[in-house]
Amino acid sequence: MSDLYHEGMKLKCDKCGKSATIHLTEIVGGQKIEKHLCEDCASAEGITVKSNVPISQLLEDFILQTSPSHSPEQAAQHAVPSDLKCDVCGMDFNEFRSKGLLGCPHDYEAFDRGLLPLLERAHEGATQHIGKVPHSAGDSQKKQNALLRLRAELKSAVSLEDYERAASLRDQIKELEKS
Amino acid sequence: MKLSDLTHRAGEWLRGVGPMHDVVISSRVRYARNLAGMPFLSRCTGEQLRELETRLRDTVLDSRLADEMLYVDVAAAGKLDRELVVERHLISRQHADGRHPRGVAISGSETMAVMVNEEDHLRIQVLRSGLQLSEAFEDLSRIDQLLEERVSFAFHDRYGYLTACPTNVGTGLRVSVMLHLPALKLTGQIEKAFRAAKELHLAIRGLYGEGTEATGDFFQVSNQTTLGKSEPQILEEFSTEMVPNFIDYERKARHALLNRQARALEDRVYRAHAALRSARLISSEETMYMLSLVRLGASLGLIKDIDVHTLNELFLQTQPAHLQRLLNREMDGQERSAARSDFIRRRLSQN
Ligand SMILES: [Zn+2]
Ligand SMILES: [Zn+2]
């Protein structure tokens, strides 16, 4: 089911039957309507035009609430043992330092030692969340991590073309998500 | 609702009628959220990225977050459409330029925009015009609640909501305002105000990217700390302790200009007004700069025949993608400068 939209890249245009490249989902009066259009028909509907517009550099920053202190130098200032590695997603602390982005939720535990000083600097010394707790907090850390691991295994099963194992892992993931 | 419906009007956040609109253009709050049990985007396979995009699109649309909603498949959208939503501040530049499956759900009023597969799986944003942070936050909480009924978010007992970048971890809450600070700029006090803000753990960015001087004097100020404070505390500190200081400084600077350098101020304001009414070629940078001065003049009563609403709309509609969409043709930079000046003259003569 999940691939439908993207197999949808090969869908036909609702209007003329050529291959559709524009896919919109609209809600009108509570009804969900999907539209697939080719570029010409979309353009005729005022939805899109073929164009090659120089990128406006203006007004762009406000959109993205990107983290103000993304810069990995922050992390780099601090000497951190380079042996920290996440066994779920495979990211190590050095890779995180160079990219500034973590690989998976488990990294917060795996990189704990390296992250704590960074968190303190970024958050006025705080390292403990005291805000909102979601209902799904009932989903224990254990379950969240189990899901992550299953997905990592699935990834490697797929790359090894072990489809039988992949199918059984997908079932396990579905099962666990429902529980 | 179609994307093209947006072109002809300004979004809610730009309406210019909110509280403190002489200084505060708009308020924005956002939550960063990731699905539990999924890697962050940088470690997702192509299949996982598609799965996330589809699942989150369905979740967002099925949650009935607003009466009217439009989902734009950003990966499949044409370039002009992507530019259009960037100019309207509904998606980030980064989101527009990405190459992976991604999208944005926009409410009819444009007060809500949920980005799917941006830096985090979800970036839920709520916008309001003027200073209306608590109203925006209420709406954000409602949306977060509705989504949590359908999906579980990555959450850790100690670190809170887990985000791809540790600077967002904890509440995942970023609170920000877009400020118009022309008088602080004119009187050379802006650096001082920024230094003070940094002491208060605020982040400040120029609206038009770093290092651009003639920009129109808009600045985005936001909180940096997301961990170790509750959401209401973050909101409270930001909106009652920090923002009022900026408003106060700017208003004082405006009145100082009016009292002590009235002639010089009037000269700038009226020249800007004349330039907008007379130009036959105008770049978007120059337009920003002139509109900013006219907006300052309007807030001080020097300019009476143009309201803030019109000015705010002009800020948006003179941007390249909007201009091309409004005039329904593709144009290069030179053609746009001509078309932009015509558009502005026409708009100002309607007043
Ligand atoms: Zn067609
Ligand atoms: Zn990991």
Side-chain angles (χ1 to χ4, degrees):
Chain A
M1 133 221 145
S2 72
D3 282 330
L4 242 183
Y5 281 101
H6 292 274
E7 292 309 322
M9 301 304 272
K10 286 163 216 142
L11 283 174
K12 295 212 167 93
C13 172
D14 295 345
K15 296 262 155 98
C16 74
K18 277 192 287 183
S19 100
T21 52
I22 285 116
H23 310 278
L24 289 169
T25 310
E26 302 174 10
I27 289 187
V28 181
Q31 287 278 94
K32 200 161 124 184
I33 300 170
E34 281 172 31
K35 280 191 181 176
H36 308 280
L37 299 167
C38 72
E39 214 157 2
D40 292 332
C41 294
S43 167
E45 277 220 340
I47 290 171
T48 192
V49 252
K50 285 180 207 164
S51 74
N52 200 6
V53 188
I55 295 163
S56 157
Q57 290 305 311
L58 300 177
L59 285 165
E60 66 191 28
D61 279 357
F62 186 63
I63 309 274
L64 178 60
Q65 308 280 318
T66 33
S67 331
S69 47
H70 245 160
S71 68
E73 306 98 71
Q74 255 204 345
Q77 291 165 6
H78 205 83
V80 167
S82 53
D83 59 339
L84 298 177
K85 188 171 165 107
C86 171
D87 61 350
V88 174
C89 74
M91 182 168 283
D92 64 38
F93 197 75
N94 283 328
E95 189 184 347
F96 160 66
R97 283 208 308 204
S98 71
K99 286 192 182 154
L101 294 174
L102 295 163
C104 82
H106 182 63
D107 297 0
Y108 279 94
E109 289 177 349
F111 300 163
D112 187 290
R113 227 166 356 125
L115 276 177
L116 276 171
L118 192 151
L119 288 174
E120 281 177 12
R121 267 197 308 279
H123 301 286
E124 299 175 58
T127 58
Q128 171 73 52
H129 176 62
I130 60 166
K132 180 174 182 175
V133 175
H135 331 266
S136 60
D139 274 7
S140 64
Q141 235 69 66
K142 246 189 206 155
K143 176 176 162 185
Q144 294 190 32
N145 286 341
L147 267 173
L148 273 176
R149 274 174 213 286
L150 285 171
R151 285 188 199 277
E153 282 176 47
L154 173 60
K155 186 172 163 180
S156 82
V158 169
S159 72
L160 294 170
E161 300 185 17
D162 185 347
Y163 298 115
E164 214 171 297
R165 176 152 172 69
S168 116
L169 285 164
R170 281 202 187 88
D171 290 343
Q172 290 180 52
I173 290 170
K174 274 204 187 107
E175 219 30 55
L176 188 57
E177 276 184 331
K178 266 185 268 169
S179 71
Chain B
M1 179 188 169
K2 294 198 301 267
L3 202 49
S4 56
D5 293 342
L6 305 182
T7 326
H8 296 273
R9 52 184 166 90
E12 204 283 340
W13 67 271
L14 249 187
R15 216 172 277 154
V17 290
M20 315 286 175
H21 70 254
D22 57 326
V23 180
V24 186
I25 309 275
S26 60
S27 302
R28 174 185 300 250
V29 290
R30 73 99 167 109
Y31 274 144
R33 296 285 187 255
N34 290 277
L35 292 191
M38 283 291 264
F40 296 135
L41 294 176
S42 67
R43 272 291 198 266
C44 278
T45 61
E47 189 194 346
Q48 285 172 328
L49 288 169
R50 283 192 297 277
E51 181 188 334
L52 272 171
E53 198 267 339
T54 311
R55 187 161 157 202
L56 291 171
R57 171 207 304 239
D58 290 344
T59 303
V60 168
L61 291 175
D62 292 343
S63 301
R64 299 282 184 265
L65 305 178
D67 294 339
E68 216 191 354
M69 275 211 311
L70 170 70
Y71 185 89
V72 181
D73 182 338
V74 177
K79 178 145 188 186
L80 193 55
D81 278 337
R82 298 201 306 269
E83 293 302 319
L84 200 75
V85 271
V86 170
E87 287 176 3
R88 297 184 83 80
H89 296 188
L90 298 171
I91 69 170
S92 58
R93 160 68 43 209
Q94 183 188 339
H95 202 50
D97 293 346
R99 298 189 153 261
H100 58 285
R102 64 203 190 282
V104 61
I106 303 166
S107 70
S109 58
E110 291 179 75
T111 55
M112 180 202 89
V114 182
M115 288 189 278
V116 172
N117 285 358
E118 211 249 19
E119 183 180 295
D120 294 295
H121 298 162
L122 283 178
R123 285 285 175 97
I124 313 163
Q125 323 174 80
V126 174
L127 290 121
R128 287 288 186 277
S129 57
L131 184 61
Q132 298 194 63
L133 284 163
S134 43
E135 292 81 355
F137 180 70
E138 247 171 62
D139 205 30
L140 182 68
S141 307
R142 179 187 64 86
I143 293 166
D144 190 45
Q145 214 64 41
L146 285 170
L147 292 173
E148 267 182 358
E149 285 167 17
R150 289 170 189 265
V151 287
S152 21
F153 293 132
F155 184 85
H156 189 277
D157 294 336
R158 173 162 187 191
Y159 301 122
Y161 289 92
L162 302 177
T163 53
C165 179
T167 55
N168 293 311
V169 80
T171 57
L173 178 63
R174 188 80 66 212
V175 178
S176 64
V177 284
M178 182 155 59
L179 303 175
H180 186 211
L181 306 174
L184 286 177
K185 195 88 177 289
L186 280 171
T187 55
Q189 299 176 76
I190 199 95
E191 289 302 322
K192 213 168 71 186
F194 287 179
R195 274 197 304 276
K198 278 180 187 138
E199 306 258 299
L200 295 168
H201 304 281
L202 298 179
I204 299 182
R205 335 176 77 208
L207 188 52
Y208 313 119
E210 257 91 289
T212 40
E213 192 49 28
T215 59
D217 319 320
F218 294 95
F219 299 93
Q220 178 200 329
V221 181
S222 57
N223 70 308
Q224 295 213 69
T225 304
T226 56
L227 182 66
K229 293 178 183 178
S230 71
E231 294 81 358
Q233 188 187 353
I234 290 171
L235 196 77
E236 174 80 6
E237 286 182 2
F238 188 77
S239 50
T240 67
E241 292 169 29
M242 303 182 182
V243 180
N245 284 327
F246 276 96
I247 298 175
D248 197 41
Y249 294 152
E250 170 64 20
R251 283 181 176 164
K252 282 192 176 125
R254 288 183 191 184
H255 285 102
L257 279 174
L258 200 57
N259 293 333
R260 287 182 229 139
Q261 301 179 63
R263 176 65 67 155
L265 177 67
E266 284 169 15
D267 183 63
R268 292 224 190 196
V269 168
Y270 293 134
R271 276 171 186 269
H273 193 191
L276 291 171
R277 283 179 182 265
S278 317
R280 292 299 190 269
L281 284 174
I282 193 164
S283 68
S284 48
E285 288 79 3
E286 187 182 2
T287 305
M288 286 290 144
Y289 183 68
M290 298 305 176
L291 283 173
S292 169
L293 284 167
V294 171
R295 198 180 192 280
L296 172 64
S299 83
L300 291 171
L302 298 174
I303 296 214
K304 297 199 172 73
D305 60 342
I306 312 177
D307 58 24
V308 175
H309 176 77
T310 304
L311 290 168
N312 286 353
E313 227 162 54
L314 276 173
F315 275 112
L316 190 63
Q317 292 177 337
T318 55
Q319 297 297 311
H322 274 79
L323 199 63
Q324 295 178 85
R325 183 46 75 61
L326 280 166
L327 300 176
N328 219 357
R329 61 193 158 99
E330 281 176 54
M331 292 176 277
D332 64 23
Q334 185 74 7
E335 290 171 314
R336 284 203 303 273
S337 291
R340 183 179 291 112
S341 70
D342 294 344
F343 182 83
I344 295 170
R345 285 201 318 282
R346 223 177 310 130
R347 190 74 182 76
L348 291 183
S349 68
Q350 282 166 13
N351 281 279

